[in-house]
Amino acid sequence: MTEQTPALAAAGNGAYRICVRLEPVSHVRHGRSWPEAFTAATLTGADFNADHDRGLSRFEARIYAPPGFEDSDRDRCMLASFEFHHMVLDSARGGVMDFTGVLVGALAYPQDVYDRLAAGCPLTDIDEARGNWPGEVRYLPLPHPGFQAYLGWRAKVTIAPDRRQDDQ
């Protein structure tokens, strides 16, 4: 029996579409019925931050909350954040970039939160996103439980311009 793999489709208002495909690496035990590879997340309207410091490349794909949802430091709250290390650019063509790296962090709400947001539910009405005070929204989601078993897996990350931005 193959283990049920997590899948996440989140949408924001950023400039990119980011797809994450995960593959097991040599240190992953195959005693459990792990999948060979699977599309883990599709982030539409995402932003990303990448840097290179002392030989370590780091990449973070982020989905921000709608404008107006900020923490006390006036930073916009995030709905999802995926972090990768050891990123290598495999190819780039026509504005589309393909990277390979290692998934080291996955903060995200459950899929039903994104479905409710897409249906028009206000963020402050969603219990999982609510902060400690009335009207407050959590700055970061909690670690996504479905992805914790896949930290350390090889990630194939495809980044493309979000064509929805061209329509506006």
Side-chain angles (χ1 to χ4, degrees):
M1 183 166 122
T2 301
E3 181 172 306
Q4 180 71 7
T5 57
L8 189 68
N13 57 1
Y16 301 95
R17 178 177 168 85
I18 299 175
C19 296
V20 179
R21 180 177 168 81
L22 295 179
E23 302 174 350
V25 290
S26 58
H27 69 271
V28 174
R29 294 175 307 200
H30 291 282
R32 294 174 64 186
S33 48
W34 292 105
E36 287 302 309
F38 63 97
T39 299
T42 302
L43 309 176
T44 304
D47 287 318
F48 69 91
N49 182 39
D51 59 46
H52 189 271
D53 183 31
R54 298 182 201 137
L56 177 66
S57 57
R58 189 184 72 72
F59 173 92
E60 186 179 11
R62 301 171 295 212
I63 294 279
Y64 284 100
F69 294 100
E70 300 171 338
D71 69 1
S72 58
D73 293 331
R74 315 257 316 140
D75 292 323
R76 270 182 68 194
C77 299
M78 279 190 252
L79 299 179
S81 172
F82 286 77
E83 186 174 351
F84 310 90
H85 284 188
H86 310 295
M87 295 297 287
V88 175
L89 177 63
D90 296 324
S91 67
R93 68 205 171 284
V96 177
M97 297 177 286
D98 290 304
F99 291 91
T100 303
V102 177
L103 177 67
V104 297
L107 305 177
Y109 293 112
Q111 182 61 52
D112 68 307
V113 170
Y114 304 107
D115 295 341
R116 288 186 283 172
L117 284 172
C121 182
L123 196 56
T124 50
D125 290 352
I126 299 174
D127 289 338
E128 294 89 342
R130 201 171 291 144
N132 295 328
W133 306 101
E136 181 187 57
V137 175
R138 184 186 299 273
Y139 173 64
L140 287 173
L142 298 174
H144 192 286
F147 288 104
Q148 297 312 297
Y150 300 98
L151 297 182
W153 279 38
R154 182 182 305 115
K156 301 283 188 174
V157 181
T158 301
I159 302 169
D162 186 359
R163 299 296 179 211
R164 297 178 315 154
Q165 301 295 317
D166 298 340
D167 299 336
Q168 296 173 359

